[in-house]
Amino acid sequence: MPPKNKPQINQSKITAKKFSKNVTSAPVVSSPSRSSNLFSHLLIVVPVLILTWIVFLPSLQNDFTNWDDDDYLVFHTYVQELSWENIKKIFSSFYQGNYHPLTTLIFMLNNHFFRMIPFPYHLQSLILHILNSALVYVLFFIIFRRKDVSLITTLFFSIHPMHVESVAWVSELKDVLYTFFYLAALIFYVRYVQNDKGKKGNYILVLFFFILSLLSKPAAIIFPLSLLCFDYLFKRTLSFKLAAEKIPFLFAAFLFGVIAIFAQQSSESISDFGIHTVTQKIMFVSYGFIAYIGMLFIPVHQCFFHPFPLLVNGTRFPYIYYAAPFIAAVIFLFVFIIFWHSFRRSHSLKAGDFSALQLQNPLMEFYRIIVFGFLFYFVNLILVLQIIKIGSAMMAERYTYVSYLGLFCIIGYGFLLLSDRNGNYFKTIRYILIVIFVCGTVIFSYASYTRCKAWKNSVSLWSDFVVHYPKYHDGYYFRAESLTQVKEYERALDDYNMCIRLKPQQANAYIYRGNIYGTFGKADLSISDYDKALKFDSASFDAYVNRAITYSMIKEYGKAFKDYEKAYALKPDNINLLINYSYALIEQKQFEMAQKLCENILSVNPSSEQANLYRGICRFNTGKTDEAFDDFTKCLQINPSNSAALLNRSLCFKARGDYQKAMDDAIKSKNLGNTINESYLSELKMMMNTGMTKPAQ
């Protein structure tokens, strides 16, 4: 009796021959209708997208942070007003060492419509991430024509904890935005390769979305190498045509690469490793390469900032860094062996035809997919492995947002390979894989949901850093800064103390701790900290200014003026300095010098509330009542609730003999909380009751 599965084997061979005759694209399995086929896809991908929404839901409740959000949204003058002039500046200039005008333009639109409300910013990032997940499904389905491969790849891309940073961090809008266009370009490239019809249109769309991706984030310059990875996957033959079709992409990548270098140099973001040797550089690059792979499977020790390692006992780095180059070399060797084995035994599958792989030689094709996935991972990571040092972080989780797709693809196709095998052994393996898949989904979903909360605000973000890197002073320093902003001065003081303990020469930590002591009314401790700051940084502008303010508070004006003069020599145009310096001069009745400083401010910023007020005080005390009146009125136009301006304008009205208006301003000032001498109010009432009028002019 013949084996039961013999007809199935024969049928497989026949099917394989049919697939080998296909000359244009991967065959499509027949279905009852296009609408039912679409419904089957939606039945798979929509639950994944809903799960993604739920997993990242906590990010919608997050605030902005002081990790770049303030620079890109608060201090970036171009995004403050929607105008053609600002749009031109966005596309023609650099900011913070970056050139991503499309991202900045979106920030401008957000600011115009929503101002500084965090929710819309977080919502747009989450929506883009969900759209990217849908594009990932489309991309891998049109490659493999397998829903299971596409599902697994999409699911892990959507919920992986390493991707939280790209979604929950407002400033990383550029990451999800450039990826959206990047994936769209890859989809049209696959269509370009697979289909003979519409090639020109698909090619133009690839280039179009690539340009948009470049305008969103410079990381897209690696796109031409990603195309070569797909050429390898599709077994495209090296030819002049293959090289020629890449020229526009290489040109655009080169152009934006040069722009990116100039942008980075404009803020001195590109630097050498400094004290690190060549051997140590290799160690760090290798560690980053293998750490990203490790965190794909076990995403532990997550943090928004991974600094370079500290020396153990001041003599060596942790042992893993010495082992990293050898581990990386083994991984590369393993992939090369697979590549060579696959290359020698490659069969003649039609370019782009993956729907029949499981019928012809699935293991050989899996080898090819391993090489493809590894290359895609590597090329999309190579710019951020700190081969050229950019910034102070050794690695960052957002760099895996695109690069992990290559590794997810390997996992998805590996699952397909094992699940399609027959026999009790593979049946058991299949059940084990399903359990792993379900458990991984639950664990990753929970981890991402929890990870979103680390981005709640600046305090939670730096607290997370302190947990993972307790021996780095930076975490305590920036958390203290964040705590100070929300007026948790006691906790901030503890963090500054810890920062100074870890790095005693940190001048700014002494300055800000001194400011907190000043808030507590401990002027002696404030001055002591400012002295220490100047010991470590003799040209510290902030130390001189804050010490001068403190001396003024305790009426030691001689010392205050010396510090103001030193600060003025360092930054003569600093508004904060000029305001405080002029106030101290007014306290010492040096009105002419104070007025001069106020006029310096007003020549730059005519709408300075304090400068108008102080100049008015100077003018009033030098007999220029009418000019003083104008200054106080201008101050009140800027801020109608300025109680000091109301009181001083009341004095001007009194000097003019307009006692009713003098009384009105005095009462308004008192109602705003200003302390008004009752004898002054009584004097005004007496003058009003006796019918005294304005003196003749």
Side-chain angles (χ1 to χ4, degrees):
M1 188 176 192
K4 292 181 180 180
N5 60 347
K6 187 173 182 180
Q8 183 179 352
I9 294 174
N10 291 337
Q11 182 62 38
S12 298
K13 291 180 180 178
I14 293 170
T15 308
K17 289 180 181 179
K18 290 180 180 179
F19 282 130
S20 66
K21 293 178 181 179
N22 189 302
V23 295
T24 57
S25 64
V28 179
V29 179
S30 61
S31 58
S33 69
R34 180 171 296 182
S35 60
S36 63
N37 193 36
L38 175 62
F39 179 76
S40 68
H41 286 298
L42 292 176
L43 208 58
I44 292 172
V45 75
V46 169
V48 174
L49 302 184
I50 293 173
L51 176 62
T52 305
W53 172 268
I54 295 171
V55 165
F56 285 90
L57 201 57
S59 69
L60 299 180
Q61 302 172 12
N62 290 353
D63 204 342
F64 299 116
T65 71
N66 61 0
W67 188 242
D68 284 353
D69 289 351
D70 48 0
D71 288 327
Y72 285 122
L73 303 176
V74 179
F75 305 128
H76 196 341
T77 55
Y78 298 163
V79 306
Q80 300 305 314
E81 181 184 356
L82 179 60
S83 66
W84 285 114
E85 184 63 27
N86 281 342
I87 291 174
K88 286 188 287 184
K89 289 178 180 178
I90 286 172
F91 280 86
S92 60
S93 61
F94 308 137
Y95 182 74
Q96 294 288 319
N98 286 295
Y99 181 74
H100 36 63
L102 195 55
T103 302
T104 307
L105 179 61
I106 292 177
F107 280 144
M108 175 192 283
L109 293 171
N110 288 341
N111 185 69
H112 178 75
F113 291 107
F114 309 115
R115 308 312 297 175
M116 290 300 293
I117 301 173
F119 177 79
Y121 293 82
H122 289 294
L123 180 62
Q124 74 180 359
S125 292
L126 178 52
I127 290 173
L128 277 169
H129 178 59
I130 290 173
L131 291 175
N132 289 340
S133 301
L135 291 180
V136 168
Y137 181 85
V138 172
L139 174 64
F140 286 96
F141 181 77
I142 64 175
I143 293 173
F144 297 111
R145 302 293 177 179
R146 289 289 302 241
K147 296 173 184 175
D148 44 8
V149 178
S150 304
L151 169 63
I152 293 170
T153 306
T154 302
L155 180 64
F156 285 130
F157 172 85
S158 302
I159 65 170
H160 201 282
M162 291 288 280
H163 291 169
V164 171
E165 182 174 303
S166 296
V167 182
W169 184 12
V170 169
S171 294
E172 272 309 294
L173 169 67
K174 55 183 177 287
D175 215 25
V176 289
L177 185 63
Y178 108 89
T179 301
F180 176 79
F181 297 122
Y182 198 96
L183 290 170
L186 288 177
I187 288 171
F188 283 105
Y189 185 73
V190 173
R191 289 171 58 88
Y192 167 79
V193 172
Q194 288 182 338
N195 302 317
D196 290 334
K197 293 182 178 180
K199 273 192 173 295
K200 184 177 179 181
N202 285 326
Y203 184 85
I204 292 173
L205 286 172
V206 176
L207 188 58
F208 172 71
F209 284 114
F210 173 47
I211 297 297
L212 291 179
S213 188
L214 287 169
L215 291 169
S216 303
K217 188 176 181 180
I221 63 175
I222 211 68
F223 183 76
L225 294 183
S226 292
L227 296 185
L228 293 178
C229 293
F230 277 85
D231 288 340
Y232 168 79
L233 180 65
F234 293 145
K235 298 186 178 181
R236 300 187 71 197
T237 305
L238 289 175
S239 63
F240 175 79
K241 178 184 177 182
L242 187 70
E245 72 183 16
K246 302 296 188 298
I247 290 176
F249 300 98
L250 291 170
F251 176 77
F254 174 78
L255 177 62
F256 277 83
V258 171
I259 292 173
I261 290 173
F262 279 113
Q264 292 287 326
Q265 289 178 341
S266 69
S267 67
E268 299 182 350
S269 298
I270 296 180
S271 61
D272 197 3
F273 279 79
I275 61 173
H276 297 136
T277 64
V278 174
T279 302
Q280 290 169 346
K281 295 177 187 179
I282 295 172
M283 288 163 46
F284 298 146
V285 171
S286 302
Y287 176 82
F289 173 77
I290 65 172
Y292 287 126
I293 296 176
M295 294 178 79
L296 176 132
F297 298 100
I298 309 176
V300 295
H301 198 61
Q302 281 191 261
C303 191
F304 76 97
F305 183 77
H306 296 276
F308 286 89
L310 298 174
L311 292 172
V312 178
N313 298 324
T315 58
R316 64 169 179 82
F317 292 109
Y319 290 122
I320 183 62
Y321 289 92
Y322 297 97
F326 300 99
I327 298 173
V330 169
I331 294 173
F332 274 98
L333 180 61
F334 172 74
V335 174
F336 177 77
I337 291 172
I338 289 178
F339 164 75
W340 184 251
H341 190 61
S342 172
F343 177 76
R344 293 187 63 187
R345 300 185 60 181
S346 179
H347 56 76
S348 58
L349 183 68
K350 170 65 182 177
D353 185 355
F354 282 88
S355 58
L357 294 187
Q358 69 274 19
L359 302 175
Q360 296 187 34
N361 195 336
L363 188 58
M364 284 298 102
E365 292 308 323
F366 185 47
Y367 289 164
R368 175 172 290 273
I369 289 166
I370 290 175
V371 176
F372 159 76
F374 175 82
L375 288 176
F376 188 88
Y377 163 74
F378 180 66
V379 301
N380 282 281
L381 202 60
I382 192 170
L383 291 179
V384 292
L385 281 175
Q386 292 292 26
I387 296 173
I388 298 176
K389 186 173 180 291
I390 300 177
S392 55
M394 186 180 65
M395 52 186 290
E397 293 164 18
R398 61 187 177 276
Y399 298 152
T400 67
Y401 194 68
V402 172
S403 61
Y404 268 4
L405 282 174
L407 303 182
F408 291 148
C409 170
I410 296 173
I411 294 171
Y413 198 82
F415 185 87
L416 176 153
L417 187 66
L418 291 172
S419 63
D420 277 3
R421 292 295 184 96
N422 295 321
N424 291 332
Y425 173 76
F426 287 103
K427 185 177 181 180
T428 303
I429 295 246
R430 184 158 57 249
Y431 287 141
I432 293 173
L433 287 174
I434 291 173
V435 171
I436 293 174
F437 176 75
V438 173
C439 290
T441 300
V442 173
I443 292 170
F444 282 0
S445 296
Y446 177 76
S448 293
Y449 185 90
T450 305
R451 185 72 198 149
C452 286
K453 298 177 181 179
W455 289 88
K456 175 66 178 176
N457 52 45
S458 300
V459 175
S460 64
L461 194 64
W462 287 107
S463 294
D464 182 69
F465 178 86
V466 168
V467 168
H468 293 98
Y469 295 100
K471 295 183 179 180
Y472 287 76
H473 73 280
D474 309 80
Y476 300 99
Y477 176 84
F478 287 109
R479 185 171 68 178
E481 182 183 275
S482 305
L483 288 166
T484 302
Q485 291 174 352
V486 294
K487 299 184 178 180
E488 293 192 35
Y489 298 119
E490 292 287 354
R491 289 179 62 192
L493 186 60
D494 290 339
D495 276 351
Y496 280 129
N497 289 337
M498 179 60 74
C499 174
I500 290 170
R501 193 175 307 152
L502 292 171
K503 190 176 181 181
Q505 67 274 25
Q506 173 72 305
N508 283 340
Y510 289 106
I511 294 172
Y512 296 133
R513 188 176 72 172
N515 293 347
I516 293 177
Y517 283 138
T519 303
F520 292 155
K522 300 178 180 180
D524 55 336
L525 293 177
S526 292
I527 291 171
S528 175
D529 270 356
Y530 300 140
D531 291 342
K532 292 173 184 175
L534 289 166
K535 176 183 176 182
F536 294 111
D537 183 4
S538 59
S540 174
F541 171 82
D542 290 334
Y544 282 121
V545 171
N546 286 286
R547 191 170 68 175
I549 293 171
T550 307
Y551 278 134
S552 296
M553 291 171 61
I554 59 176
K555 309 302 181 183
E556 293 190 23
Y557 290 105
K559 293 180 179 179
F561 290 148
K562 288 181 180 179
D563 278 350
Y564 277 130
E565 288 168 6
K566 290 177 180 178
Y568 186 78
L570 292 170
K571 294 184 180 180
D573 297 325
N574 185 274
I575 301 298
N576 182 57
L577 163 66
L578 298 176
I579 290 291
N580 285 285
Y581 195 0
S582 60
Y583 179 82
L585 290 167
I586 290 171
E587 286 283 295
Q588 286 295 286
K589 302 187 185 307
Q590 298 185 28
F591 300 116
E592 291 184 2
M593 180 63 180
Q595 182 175 335
K596 181 180 178 182
L597 294 179
C598 290
E599 286 171 350
N600 288 345
I601 299 170
L602 294 169
S603 65
V604 178
N605 182 16
S607 298
S608 172
E609 179 182 347
Q610 291 297 102
N612 278 289
L613 172 64
Y614 292 164
R615 186 174 69 174
I617 293 172
C618 293
R619 285 174 164 175
F620 183 83
N621 282 278
T622 54
K624 302 174 183 177
T625 306
D626 290 339
E627 292 176 335
F629 177 86
D630 293 339
D631 282 338
F632 298 138
T633 301
K634 177 68 179 292
C635 180
L636 289 167
Q637 288 172 351
I638 298 168
N639 179 14
S641 299
N642 191 311
S643 60
L646 284 166
L647 177 57
N648 281 281
R649 192 172 70 171
S650 172
L651 293 172
C652 291
F653 278 127
K654 179 189 173 187
R656 289 179 168 186
D658 199 337
Y659 304 117
Q660 182 61 58
K661 290 184 179 179
M663 177 63 78
D664 292 341
D665 274 359
I667 295 299
K668 287 179 184 177
S669 179
K670 183 179 180 180
N671 291 339
L672 288 169
N674 202 0
T675 301
I676 307 295
N677 195 319
E678 289 298 326
S679 62
Y680 175 68
L681 296 177
S682 299
E683 182 184 358
L684 289 176
K685 287 180 182 179
M686 182 189 70
M687 291 178 174
M688 291 168 60
N689 292 334
T690 57
M692 296 182 68
T693 59
K694 179 178 177 180
Q697 297 294 318

